[in-house]
Amino acid sequence: MNGVLIKIIIVLVLLLVLAGIIYMAYRSIKKKISEFSTQMFGTSDIMEGIRQQEMQESMTPKSVAGATRLYLPMIVKDFPDFHYDEMKNRAENVLISFLRSIDAMNPELLTEGTNELRDSLNMRIGMLQNQEQQETFQDIKIHRTELFRYRKTKGRCSVIFQSALESIHFVEKDGKIVSGRNDRREQSRYNVEVIYIQDPDLIENTEDAGLAMNCPNCGAPLPSLGAKKCKYCGSPIVEFNIRTWNFASVEES
C-alpha cells in the first residue's frame, strides 16, 4: 500500500513539475510575443497590433512607379502632340468606368477602349454571372497616377499609366461576402495601357493594336512616330494622330 502511495506522490510531483515547466514556457513565449508586438506595432497586444496594422494599410495609398520624368521626354520626342495631362485624365476615367462597369454588370459604362479591352470586361462580367457572384466597387478614389512604362515593339507602341486607387471592394455570393470587406477601404494599384495606331484603316483588327510605320498614302517609311506629314509625298498624317490613341487593357498590379 505504501508503495502505491509513493508512486502516486511521485506521479503528482512529476505532473506539478511538468505543469511548472509548461507555465514558465508559456510565460516566456507570451513575454516574447508581447515584446515583439510592442516593437512592431507599438502595443503589447499582438491582435490589437495586427488590427491597427490592417487599418493603417487600408488608409495608406499604394506607391506607384514614378517613371514620368524618364518616359515622358521619350514619348514627346516620338509624339510631339502627346498631351500628358489629357491622356492621364483619360486613363483615370477609363479605369474608373471599367470598375463601375463591373460593379453594375454593365459593359456599356466603359467610356472608351479597344475591342480587346471590351472583350476582357465582358469576360470578367460573364465569369461573375456564371459563378452567381456580385463584385462591388464603392467610393472609388484615385490618389495618384504616373507613367509606368513606354514600349516600342514591332507593330505595337504602348504607354502604361499606373494609378494608386482606393475603394470599398468585395465579392458577394448568396448574400455572403466571399472576399474583401464592406466595412473597410482597400488600397490597390492598377495599370492602364494606351496604344497607338498610325492609321486605323490599315489595321484589320483593332484588338491587335498594330502600329503602322508607313505613310498611309504612298507607303514610304515615316521619319518619326509622331510625324505630321510624309517627307516623300507631303501627305498630311496629323489627322490620324488625333484618333489613334486607344486603351487596350486594365489590370490590377
Side-chain angles (χ1 to χ4, degrees):
M1 186 70 178
N2 289 337
V4 174
L5 183 59
I6 291 173
K7 289 181 179 179
I8 292 175
I9 292 173
I10 292 173
V11 170
L12 290 175
V13 170
L14 291 174
L15 288 175
L16 287 173
V17 171
L18 180 61
I21 294 173
I22 293 174
Y23 176 74
M24 294 299 294
Y26 164 76
R27 293 278 298 179
S28 177
I29 293 172
K30 184 178 180 181
K31 182 180 179 181
K32 290 181 179 179
I33 291 175
S34 177
E35 291 174 349
F36 172 80
S37 178
T38 301
Q39 183 179 3
M40 290 294 296
F41 307 118
T43 175
S44 59
D45 186 340
I46 191 168
M47 297 306 297
E48 174 63 18
I50 293 174
R51 189 191 71 80
Q52 291 179 5
Q53 181 70 17
E54 290 177 346
M55 183 62 69
Q56 181 67 25
E57 289 179 356
S58 72
M59 300 299 292
T60 305
K62 294 281 189 179
S63 61
V64 295
T68 302
R69 291 185 179 180
L70 173 64
Y71 289 122
L72 185 55
M74 300 180 187
I75 298 172
V76 173
K77 180 180 178 181
D78 291 335
F79 300 95
D81 293 330
F82 184 89
H83 299 291
Y84 171 72
D85 290 334
E86 176 186 347
M87 197 64 66
K88 183 176 75 170
N89 290 336
R90 285 175 60 187
E92 292 178 343
N93 289 335
V94 167
L95 172 56
I96 292 174
S97 68
F98 185 88
L99 300 181
R100 286 177 175 169
S101 295
I102 296 172
D103 179 86
M105 295 283 197
N106 181 8
E108 297 302 319
L109 297 181
L110 183 65
T111 54
E112 59 177 310
T114 62
N115 290 337
E116 180 183 9
L117 179 58
R118 295 184 184 278
D119 288 345
S120 172
L121 176 60
N122 285 323
M123 186 179 300
R124 182 159 174 176
I125 292 174
M127 182 179 66
L128 289 168
Q129 291 173 335
N130 291 336
Q131 297 176 350
E132 298 181 343
Q133 294 181 339
Q134 171 67 49
E135 187 169 8
T136 299
F137 290 91
Q138 296 177 346
D139 300 334
I140 300 172
K141 179 181 180 181
I142 294 179
H143 292 283
R144 182 184 177 190
T145 299
E146 295 282 352
L147 286 176
F148 175 59
R149 186 175 296 138
Y150 175 46
R151 286 179 174 175
K152 291 188 292 182
T153 58
K154 185 177 180 180
R156 188 181 182 95
C157 178
S158 72
V159 174
I160 298 179
F161 289 91
Q162 187 172 89
S163 296
L165 183 138
E166 176 181 315
S167 66
I168 296 177
H169 174 218
F170 57 94
V171 178
E172 290 179 292
K173 182 178 176 64
D174 299 328
K176 297 181 180 180
I177 296 178
V178 296
S179 69
R181 298 184 61 161
N182 63 355
D183 62 345
R184 184 172 296 174
R185 305 186 73 80
E186 177 183 281
Q187 304 294 334
S188 54
R189 258 189 312 261
Y190 280 87
N191 291 343
V192 179
E193 180 187 27
V194 57
I195 54 151
Y196 181 82
I197 303 171
Q198 184 69 45
D199 182 358
D201 295 333
L202 297 179
I203 306 300
E204 294 182 1
N205 190 340
T206 54
E207 293 179 10
D208 179 56
L211 173 65
M213 296 297 295
N214 301 87
C215 171
N217 181 52
C218 69
L222 298 174
S224 66
L225 291 173
K228 294 184 177 182
K229 69 177 183 178
C230 176
K231 67 178 182 179
Y232 294 97
C233 68
S235 296
I237 56 176
V238 66
E239 64 270 18
F240 294 117
N241 295 344
I242 295 174
R243 60 188 176 92
T244 50
W245 290 102
N246 208 347
F247 293 88
S249 69
V250 174
E251 296 179 352
E252 186 171 5
S253 172

